Each structure stands twice: as C-alpha cells, then as structure tokens.
Amino acid sequence: MEWETLLSPRRERESAKRQKSADLRSEFEKDYHRIIGSASFRRLQDKTQVFPLDKSDFIRTRLTHSMEVSSLGKSLGQNIGQNILQYRKDSGFTPQMKEDISHILECAGLIHDIGNPPFGHFGEIAIREWFARNLPELVFKGERVEEMLTEQMKQDLYHFEGNAQAFRLVTRLHYLVDEHGMNLTYALLNTIIKYPAASTQINENSGNIKDGKMGYYLADEQIFRKVTETTGAGNHRHPLTYILEAADDLAYKTADIEDAFVKGFISYYTLERELAPLEEAMQRDGGCSGENGFRPLEKLHQLYERGQAKGVSSPEAYAVKNWMVSAQGFLISCATYGFTSHYDQIMSGTFGKDLFYDTYGEKLMDLLGDMAFRYVFSSMAIYKMEVSESTILNYLMDRLVHAVLYYDTDVRQDTIDTRVVSFISDNYKNAYKLQAEGRSEAEKLYLRLLLVTDYVCGMTDSYAKRLYQEMNGII
C-alpha cells in the first residue's frame, strides 16, 4: 500500500472545479464541516455510550465519546506522521501527508459510531438476536423468507453490525443532495471500515483482528469495492484504521472507568487495589523503568497527595480524574510505538493485531476493559436497564418488520402497517427505492429489512423510548 493512493481525496460525486476559489481548505478539512453540520452527527448527543438516558451532565454520550476519539485520533496521527518523517520510514511520505492524516483521523473519530443503534452496543446485540429468533419464522407470500434470501443476505442480518451501518449511513442514507450520502472522501470512508470483510467471510479464529466482524452489507458492496480499490487497500485494513481503533479503545477504556467512578460503581480504593498487581507485573517486565516511565499505582498515589495538598474537597476524585489524563498520555505513546514498530507489516496488510499489542500499555488496556466489565457491565443496574432496552427494541422490530414486509409490493397493506411505515423517514425510504429499482423480489425484501434497521439505527435513545410508549398508548 502506498500513501499517495491511500490518502485519496476522490468522492463519489466530484464537485465542479472552480478556477478561482477562495476556499483554501483541503478535501479532508471539507469532510469535517460536512460531518458536524449533519443531523446524524447531532443525534449522537442522545445516544448511549455506557449509561442510557442518564440525567447527569458529566456522563459521556456517543457525541462526547466521538469528540474524544476525534481528538485522540488527530493527536496520534500527528505523532505517527512526525515519526515517519523524522526517521524516514517512507521516502514517499511528505509533510502534507502528515497534515492530511491528522484531518482524516479527526473526521473518522467523529463518525466511527454514527451507525450505532440506540442503547449502545447492547442495541446491536438486541437486533442481532431479534433476527436470530424471528427471521426463520418470517413468511412472505407463503414462502419462508429465510429460503428466499441468499446466504450473504441472511448473514448480514444475523451479524448486524454498527460499523457496517456507519459505512452505509454516510454513503447512502444521509440523503441531502443525492444518493451519495455525505459524499465523503474515499480515504475517510476506507478509514472507518474496521473489518474489510463480508458477513460470509467472518472468521473469529483467524488470529487477524480484521476478520472478526463484517464491514459492509451486500447492499453496499459496490461502493465498498470502489473505495478500497481506489485507495489500494483492497481487502486489507487501511493503515489509518489501526490508528482510529487505537484512539477509540483508548478513549472508551479510560472514560468508562472515569464515568463508573462518578456513578459510584468503583471507588478510588477499587482502582488502587486493581493497579497494585499490574504495577508489579510492569516493573518485572521493565515497562515502568526509565526517566519517562509510567508507574500506574505510584502516579495515582502522587495525585492523591497533590489533591490533599491543594485542599480539594475530594482528593479521591481529583486523583482518579487526573490519573486518567496521565494514563491517556502514556497510552498515546504506546500506540505510536505500536504503529511505527510494525510499520512495514501494517503497510503490507499483514499486521493482524491492535496497536497496543506487545507494548507496555497492553496490560493496562486489558485491565481497564476487564474492570469495566466486572464492575459496570455485569452489574445489576446495567442488567435491569438492558432488559428494559430489549423490550423497547424487540417491540419496535416486531412492528416495523411486519409493516414493511408488503411495503412496495402488489399486496395491499392493512391500515396500521401503512401508518407504521409512514413513521419511517423519507430519507431512508428514498434510499430504499433507489437501491430497489430493477431488483428481484427477494432483493427488495432484503432491502426492506435493511430499511427497518436503517430507521431503528437512526433513532436516539429518547426517541426509541418515546415511540415505544406512544405505540403502546402509554401517555
């Protein structure tokens, strides 16, 4: 892979070139303004990161998380770009490419979760499980739907994925000017494809991180091929995808612990207890040595003492929140090292791990993720919320799929189904009609099922809850 093609500024719809333009922005800077002005981006302010429908102004939403990923991604891009230039890792890499990388990652961070349904990652699970339970039972004109669909169509639904939905949303569903969605640059589109594989190619046991999930739906394969062929990435991960993923992992693993502390799921003393064996292990491995070494537990104690010296009302809160900032700085260095030390493998498409693999930060990242799972995601409070969320999503999926089954066919819909279909945004219905033109009945049916997931994924947490209440007569 070569940076000159990887950083392709091409778009599906090329704008007319003006001979004299006062706009000095690069194509990637223009992407930024397209994103932040979109309704899809604004909806992230009312989508769950960890705690759904939370009343606290402090707790993160998908919007604030995405902004953090954007910032971290840009910083990592600057660090890595400078390292490539300084150590001459690639003779074709230029200072302008460093700038372009930073802008692309800044944009990619903003949209990496834009396709996620309401209620966080649990929403993805609920939709996948709905199809697993119900698709085998669906009947269309006397024929089992499962037998009408191709294998990839079925697997698209059984492996429903927010990443694939994000690619679909920005390339098709954000219908503003035409059918090309936000019409973003190919370099940016390729960066957000974390898993460059079809649903029939998923292989969680391959040992390569890119094979773990699907990256696009069959309905969007044509634009996927066009993007990846133009950039030269093909079926490999785009190098910037590794950086985006590292920024995402770094952001949510540190933020989840901070939010959990604020919500009372963990305490200063919990973090202290968890860090003790990690610091011992890092010292044995040499990970804390050196002038700039990061000693997690020692740093936490130092910050607690500083908070006491400053006379803050809660030295524990002062220590935990500032410790997260220090941890992020350390982990940024680790991810930078992870990219630059595996540079040749990444550029050849053979690196199958994340950027924290085999760095001093790997154990810390593992611990933070494990803590979030044990203290937050496995808690009774979260379980209760997820049961409620499941009830909402299952009901909406039931009604919507029933309503679209005979939409756009020669079979007359009943009155209620007609009204339910009217709830769906014209943007999504226009995208469906464009894709359905000239298609077979089975293909149209598949696209109508995607029409349901398009609509559900476009919902905010509050809208999903309100629509459920309204449809059930709960005033």
Side-chain angles (χ1 to χ4, degrees):
M1 290 182 279
E2 301 291 337
W3 286 112
E4 189 172 351
T5 53
L6 287 167
L7 303 180
S8 171
R10 181 178 169 182
R11 305 177 189 274
E12 270 294 272
R13 182 189 70 255
E14 296 289 358
S15 57
K17 301 292 183 183
R18 298 177 182 175
Q19 290 185 339
K20 294 182 179 180
S21 174
D23 191 345
L24 302 179
R25 297 174 299 169
S26 73
E27 291 302 312
F28 308 118
E29 289 174 293
K30 292 175 185 176
D31 279 343
Y32 181 88
H33 293 279
R34 291 174 187 230
I35 293 164
I36 62 171
S38 71
S40 301
F41 179 67
R42 289 196 298 276
R43 288 192 192 103
L44 293 174
Q45 67 187 307
D46 189 15
K47 285 196 174 187
T48 294
Q49 178 59 22
V50 176
F51 302 98
L53 303 171
D54 197 88
K55 298 298 188 290
S56 169
D57 290 335
F58 178 87
I59 300 303
R60 289 165 174 85
T61 64
R62 283 283 172 197
L63 180 65
T64 49
H65 164 71
S66 297
M67 292 170 70
E68 289 174 342
V69 175
S70 174
S71 176
L72 290 168
K74 183 177 183 180
S75 296
L76 277 169
Q78 290 170 332
N79 285 3
I80 290 168
Q82 184 59 36
N83 185 284
I84 296 171
L85 287 171
Q86 186 173 340
Y87 296 100
R88 297 174 182 166
K89 288 185 173 293
D90 194 318
S91 59
F93 193 82
T94 66
Q96 182 59 54
M97 289 177 176
K98 172 191 167 184
E99 292 300 312
D100 290 343
I101 281 173
S102 297
H103 290 307
I104 292 167
L105 288 165
E106 184 178 30
C107 293
L110 294 178
I111 60 173
H112 79 286
D113 274 349
I114 205 166
N116 280 46
F119 311 125
H121 288 297
F122 180 77
E124 292 177 280
I125 296 170
I127 292 172
R128 283 196 287 266
E129 292 183 348
W130 188 93
F131 280 116
R133 287 192 310 272
N134 293 280
L135 192 61
E137 307 300 322
L138 280 181
V139 175
F140 177 78
K141 294 184 177 180
E143 189 174 354
R144 292 179 65 234
V145 169
E146 202 176 34
E147 293 177 356
M148 295 177 62
L149 303 181
T150 67
E151 186 61 25
Q152 189 172 346
M153 289 175 185
K154 289 184 289 188
Q155 295 305 320
D156 281 358
L157 302 172
Y158 290 141
H159 293 92
F160 168 81
E161 170 61 39
N163 291 291
Q165 188 67 29
F167 183 72
R168 178 169 173 77
L169 189 151
V170 298
T171 56
R172 294 194 185 278
L173 304 182
H174 189 78
Y175 196 98
L176 184 61
V177 176
D178 55 25
E179 70 275 17
H180 301 311
M182 291 187 188
N183 198 34
L184 302 172
T185 57
Y186 282 8
L188 174 55
L189 292 176
N190 207 161
T191 298
I192 67 169
I193 301 171
K194 292 177 68 175
Y195 309 98
S199 57
T200 51
Q201 299 169 324
I202 296 171
N203 182 0
E204 296 177 359
N205 299 315
S206 74
N208 193 321
I209 196 169
K210 76 178 181 67
D211 300 325
K213 298 178 182 178
M214 70 170 181
Y216 62 92
Y217 299 113
L218 175 62
D220 309 317
E221 184 172 15
Q222 185 177 1
I223 179 64
F224 167 81
R225 295 290 174 209
K226 195 179 293 187
V227 167
T228 55
E229 287 171 11
T230 301
T231 63
N235 291 323
H236 302 301
R237 266 192 166 187
H238 192 292
L240 298 189
T241 307
Y242 291 94
I243 306 175
L244 172 63
E245 182 176 57
D248 185 21
D249 291 348
L250 199 167
Y252 83 76
K253 287 191 175 182
T254 52
D256 285 356
I257 299 301
E258 185 179 12
D259 286 355
F261 173 81
V262 171
K263 294 289 291 182
F265 285 85
I266 66 170
S267 67
Y268 167 88
Y269 303 100
T270 307
L271 183 59
E272 182 183 48
R273 185 175 65 252
E274 294 280 353
L275 289 177
L278 172 68
E279 183 147 320
E280 290 177 12
M282 290 178 72
Q283 286 177 327
R284 284 196 305 271
D285 296 342
C288 295
S289 60
E291 184 179 345
N292 297 317
F294 179 69
R295 297 174 174 81
L297 184 59
E298 181 180 312
K299 186 66 178 179
L300 184 69
H301 289 158
Q302 288 174 349
L303 290 166
Y304 181 84
E305 291 167 4
R306 185 190 300 171
Q308 284 185 314
K310 287 178 174 291
V312 299
S313 58
S314 174
E316 292 87 354
Y318 178 90
V320 171
K321 292 177 182 180
N322 282 282
W323 183 86
M324 290 300 163
V325 176
S326 298
Q328 284 187 344
F330 166 67
L331 291 167
I332 286 174
S333 298
C334 292
T336 301
Y337 174 79
F339 189 96
T340 55
S341 62
H342 296 102
Y343 184 78
D344 291 339
Q345 291 171 279
I346 289 170
M347 295 302 290
S348 65
T350 59
F351 187 59
K353 306 295 183 181
D354 64 57
L355 296 188
F356 296 102
Y357 173 75
D358 205 25
T359 71
Y360 292 135
E362 183 178 18
K363 287 186 173 66
L364 178 56
M365 289 290 284
D366 288 344
L367 174 64
L368 295 176
D370 183 56
M371 283 181 65
F373 176 79
R374 286 186 284 115
Y375 292 103
V376 182
F377 297 114
S378 299
S379 68
M380 190 64 66
I382 293 295
Y383 282 169
K384 286 180 179 179
M385 285 190 285
E386 288 176 346
V387 169
S388 298
E389 294 157 8
S390 177
T391 300
I392 293 170
L393 288 174
N394 284 333
Y395 177 82
L396 293 176
M397 290 293 293
D398 285 343
R399 296 306 303 268
L400 287 163
V401 169
H402 187 275
V404 304
L405 208 55
Y406 293 102
Y407 169 66
D408 191 36
T409 71
D410 55 5
V411 178
R412 184 174 179 177
Q413 291 181 287
D414 67 31
T415 305
I416 296 301
D417 283 347
T418 302
R419 281 155 175 71
V420 171
V421 169
S422 74
F423 298 164
I424 301 175
S425 166
D426 287 340
N427 276 2
Y428 302 141
K429 285 187 281 196
N430 286 336
Y432 159 77
K433 287 174 182 175
L434 282 167
Q435 283 197 286
E437 189 174 346
R439 301 289 184 178
S440 69
E441 193 158 61
E443 289 171 321
K444 288 182 179 180
L445 178 56
Y446 160 72
L447 290 171
R448 288 198 297 277
L449 293 174
L450 288 186
L451 176 59
V452 171
T453 54
D454 291 342
Y455 178 44
V456 171
C457 289
M459 296 179 184
T460 63
D461 293 6
S462 296
Y463 179 80
K465 180 182 178 182
R466 186 170 66 251
L467 183 61
Y468 166 80
Q469 291 172 330
E470 290 171 348
M471 291 176 75
N472 281 281
I474 302 171
I475 307 301

